[in-house]
Amino acid sequence: CNLCVMCAASSFMWLEPLSEWLKREVNATTSDISWLTSSIEFSDIIFVLPCSLLADRWGRRTVLLIIGPLCIISWALAMFTRGLIFLYLVRCIQGIILGVVFAVAPMYSAEISSSKIRGCLGANFSFMWFLGTLYTYATGHYTSYRTYIICLSIFPILFSLSFFFMPESPYYYFMVKDNVKAATALKWLRSGEDINDEFCLTQEAVLNDMKQKGGWVDLFATSSDRRAFLIVQIVAFVRYMSGLTAIIAFASDTFASDSDRLIKPEQFTLAMGTILCISALFSSFLSDTVGRRRLLIWSTIGSTLSNLSISIYFFLQEKTSVHVQTIAWMKYLGVASFCVCSNVGFGQLIQTVQAEFFPTHTRCIGGAVTGVTSGIFAFINLKLYHTLNEIFGMYMNFLTFALVSLIGAIMTFIYIPESANKSLAEVNENIKKITNEPLIGSV
């Protein structure tokens, strides 16, 4: 399943190394490139809801298998066509890929994993995303366009071949009342371990939860539903508005005009991608030991300080006569620490939190709504990046990111409870206790 995340990452990031190529080959302006980069969010927002609903109707595995063919089609178009219109079509297809991955993959991972490793698997989503980003940086900056597209086509082929042999989610089988297939899938996933207790608990929890019809109203039907929705939206807001999306999408352009030029822009993107990968890898082991809540608080506070330091650097560079060459380390240290801090918490936990806090009967619809809000947040973040830079200067972007991170820290401290090492049923029961609701069976 994690290979599909690399497919999504390369689909999202592939334009980053191509700024000069786009200006040269298709006569794209800076505004065109900005719209191309952010336009992927339009189809993401439109298709994330149908993808989530189809996951309930067809199954999580079936919907995820669509990713491979869609990726191949998009890369074929990128390879054999030229012009902005075709590139927008490519971005439209890639937006569907994002919608599938972000709405269905976290759900599938959470439902097939045991409570002991769910946080680690959820964090692997982040690691695979940044591994795909690093791969895109490395191949895009140092190979020809045709070779670059061929390299990006490898992941969807590998994903299709490997994921074809994975079982469907046991939760889905329980939802459609196919207990035999649910038991078979659970046995395969637990590799011969005794599944009797888990089978009975999961079956009871899903059946109890499915007594409620999972519609739009159910997202806000009770105080616990509203609290769960708020929790997920807080993490999504911080994840997509605190700057990480825009920074990795426009890394080369952001630091191409720096006066210090200690390293080349393409070298900077590779270094940043490497830091993101390493920090995501190590942070994946922290989620279940340190705890989600504590990591989110540390992450948002650290991101606030990191973005603030970068903002100060750019303010001194753009608005004063201070020679910033002597404090260039401030910018690089700020970016590096932001990469680490974001990955420790909200960068890697958004999928885990989404899968854990939404109960079974609203998990699909909740994932769809979160996909829409995340797409809106990401689009705003990407489009405002160049706008704020042109009107105020680059420092305003990072000052805004610092403010978002600070708001996230406060909201996390107030509203988000711990969910590490708890079953999905226990997470939901804990929310009910917090909101003083009766503890009826739900997941």
Side-chain angles (χ1 to χ4, degrees):
C1 183
N2 283 332
L3 278 174
C4 75
V5 182
M6 295 189 71
C7 294
S10 58
S11 296
F12 182 80
M13 287 302 307
W14 76 286
L15 291 177
E16 196 281 337
L18 298 178
S19 293
E20 295 304 317
W21 184 90
L22 289 169
K23 293 175 182 177
R24 184 176 66 253
E25 296 294 329
V26 297
N27 297 318
T29 63
T30 301
S31 178
D32 291 330
I33 296 172
S34 174
W35 275 108
L36 268 176
T37 302
S38 56
S39 63
I40 191 173
E41 299 299 341
F42 287 124
S43 54
D44 179 16
I45 293 169
I46 293 171
F47 285 98
V48 69
L49 175 57
C51 291
S52 296
L53 297 178
L54 287 174
D56 269 354
R57 181 179 293 270
W58 294 349
R60 287 74 159 121
R61 173 182 173 274
T62 304
V63 175
L64 287 171
L65 282 172
I66 298 173
I67 293 171
L70 286 178
C71 282
I72 296 300
I73 292 171
S74 70
W75 296 134
L77 283 171
M79 173 77 79
F80 298 111
T81 62
R82 291 292 184 272
L84 286 174
I85 294 178
F86 292 107
L87 287 174
Y88 277 115
L89 178 58
V90 170
R91 295 303 271 173
C92 178
I93 296 172
Q94 291 171 340
I96 301 174
I97 295 168
L98 283 189
V100 174
V101 170
F102 279 91
V104 184
M107 183 195 318
Y108 179 81
S109 294
E111 291 178 350
I112 67 170
S113 59
S114 66
S115 59
K116 294 180 180 179
I117 64 168
R118 192 188 310 119
C120 183
L121 283 182
N124 279 341
F125 188 105
S126 178
F127 170 69
M128 297 303 287
W129 176 270
F130 291 121
L131 185 61
T133 299
L134 178 60
Y135 180 83
T136 303
Y137 286 161
T139 53
H141 282 297
Y142 296 102
T143 63
S144 66
Y145 180 79
R146 183 173 293 272
T147 303
Y148 179 40
I149 300 301
I150 293 173
C151 290
L152 296 180
S153 303
I154 295 173
F155 291 128
I157 296 173
L158 291 177
F159 167 72
S160 298
L161 292 176
S162 60
F163 191 69
F164 181 80
F165 298 99
M166 287 292 292
E168 180 55 82
S169 163
Y171 278 73
Y172 170 73
Y173 284 134
F174 283 128
M175 289 169 64
V176 297
K177 298 180 174 57
D178 194 336
N179 294 344
V180 175
K181 288 185 177 179
T184 302
L186 205 54
K187 286 178 182 178
W188 192 96
L189 292 166
R190 300 297 176 260
S191 303
E193 295 180 8
D194 182 20
I195 64 165
N196 289 332
D197 290 342
E198 184 178 3
F199 180 90
C200 294
L201 288 172
T202 304
Q203 181 186 35
E204 180 183 2
V206 172
L207 292 179
N208 284 334
D209 210 25
M210 291 307 294
K211 290 177 182 177
Q212 309 172 61
K213 186 178 179 181
W216 294 93
V217 177
D218 292 296
L219 285 173
F220 312 99
T222 66
S223 56
S224 63
D225 290 326
R226 292 189 290 272
R227 172 62 70 92
F229 183 81
L230 175 64
I231 288 169
V232 177
Q233 300 317 306
I234 290 172
V235 180
F237 171 75
V238 179
R239 167 64 178 83
Y240 294 103
M241 290 295 290
S242 62
L244 187 61
T245 302
I247 291 172
I248 63 176
F250 300 117
S252 295
D253 291 341
T254 299
F255 299 100
S257 59
D258 278 2
S259 57
D260 58 85
R261 280 298 186 96
L262 295 180
I263 60 176
K264 296 179 180 179
E266 60 270 20
Q267 293 172 331
F268 182 85
T269 59
L270 282 177
M272 188 177 68
T274 302
I275 293 171
L276 286 168
C277 276
I278 294 174
S279 58
L281 177 62
F282 282 102
S283 64
S284 66
F285 300 104
L286 298 176
S287 177
D288 289 315
T289 54
V290 177
R292 329 285 201 240
R293 172 182 164 86
R294 188 177 300 176
L295 285 178
L296 284 170
I297 293 174
W298 289 354
S299 173
T300 47
I301 292 175
S303 296
T304 300
L305 298 175
S306 300
N307 279 316
L308 188 60
S309 68
I310 302 171
S311 176
I312 292 172
Y313 171 85
F314 277 113
F315 180 82
L316 293 175
Q317 182 188 55
E318 297 167 343
K319 302 298 181 181
T320 72
S321 58
V322 174
H323 296 290
V324 295
Q325 290 88 344
T326 57
I327 57 170
W329 57 269
M330 189 175 182
K331 172 189 62 180
Y332 295 116
L333 180 61
V335 173
S337 61
F338 174 66
C339 290
V340 173
C341 290
S342 63
N343 269 339
V344 164
F346 58 82
Q348 56 132 331
L349 287 176
I350 173 61
Q351 286 74 34
T352 302
V353 169
Q354 174 182 321
E356 286 183 336
F357 283 95
F358 283 129
T360 302
H361 70 287
T362 61
R363 194 166 294 143
C364 272
I365 197 72
V369 173
T370 303
V372 171
T373 56
S374 297
I376 293 172
F377 292 149
F379 176 77
I380 293 172
N381 189 239
L382 291 169
K383 280 306 298 173
L384 282 182
Y385 196 72
H386 281 112
T387 303
L388 290 177
N389 182 32
E390 292 172 359
I391 297 176
F392 300 102
M394 187 59 68
Y395 79 93
M396 184 56 70
N397 275 308
F398 291 95
L399 186 60
T400 304
F401 300 155
L403 179 60
V404 168
S405 300
L406 180 60
I407 293 172
I410 296 171
M411 297 289 281
T412 298
F413 183 80
I414 296 173
Y415 290 108
I416 301 183
E418 186 54 73
S419 61
N421 298 314
K422 291 182 173 69
S423 68
L424 298 183
E426 290 170 337
V427 172
N428 191 242
E429 288 178 1
N430 189 36
I431 292 291
K432 288 180 179 292
K433 289 178 182 177
I434 293 172
T435 55
N436 297 316
E437 269 189 47
L439 296 180
I440 5 186
S442 60
V443 172

